[in-house]
Amino acid sequence: MCRNIKTLFNFEPPATEDEIHASALQFVRKLSGFNKPSQVNEAAFERAVTEVSEAARRLLTSLQTHAPARDREVEAERAKERSRLRFGS
């Protein structure tokens, strides 16, 4: 799927509205094939981003886990290490 969409659940501090919106935007871009829609499609595109953001927010607030919250900095370092191993220095 889209590698730019990041996991947002179970982080401390919780995902921000900006992070949720950015993930929704990436998802709608991937589905539509548009990076920036034409004027005729802009309203439908923006409506989809809004609806996906709302659905994502509902999902994130309704999920439950017993696992400890993840640390964003630790996860970022792990991602960098995976990238370094995959693509080299």
Side-chain angles (χ1 to χ4, degrees), residues 4 14 16 24-25 28 30 36 47 51 64 73-74 78 88:
N4 292 332
T16 65
L25 178 60
V28 172
K30 186 70 168 185
K36 179 170 174 32
R47 184 174 53 249
E51 291 173 359
Q64 298 178 14
E73 292 178 15
V74 170
R78 288 180 183 161

Side-chain angles (χ1 to χ4, degrees), residues 1-64:
M1 200 25 209
C2 189
R3 293 182 196 157
N4 292 332
I5 298 176
K6 307 291 185 225
T7 300
L8 299 178
F9 176 61
N10 198 26
F11 279 99
E12 192 56 46
T16 65
E17 289 299 316
D18 287 342
E19 290 172 315
I20 293 171
H21 182 268
S23 289
L25 178 60
Q26 286 294 336
F27 184 72
V28 172
R29 283 178 174 167
K30 186 70 168 185
L31 287 178
S32 68
F34 299 136
N35 189 35
K36 179 170 174 32
S38 63
Q39 286 182 335
V40 72
N41 291 320
E42 190 169 8
F45 187 90
E46 290 302 322
R47 184 174 53 249
V49 171
T50 300
E51 291 173 359
V52 170
S53 292
E54 291 169 357
R57 190 176 316 99
R58 281 192 309 272
L59 173 66
L60 292 172
T61 58
S62 66
L63 292 174
Q64 298 178 14

Side-chain angles (χ1 to χ4, degrees), residues 67-85:
R70 295 179 280 185
D71 183 289
R72 292 175 189 280
E73 292 178 15
V74 170
E75 293 299 320
E77 284 301 318
R78 288 180 183 161
K80 286 179 188 175
E81 180 62 18
R82 283 191 304 269
S83 179
R84 188 188 65 73
L85 291 173

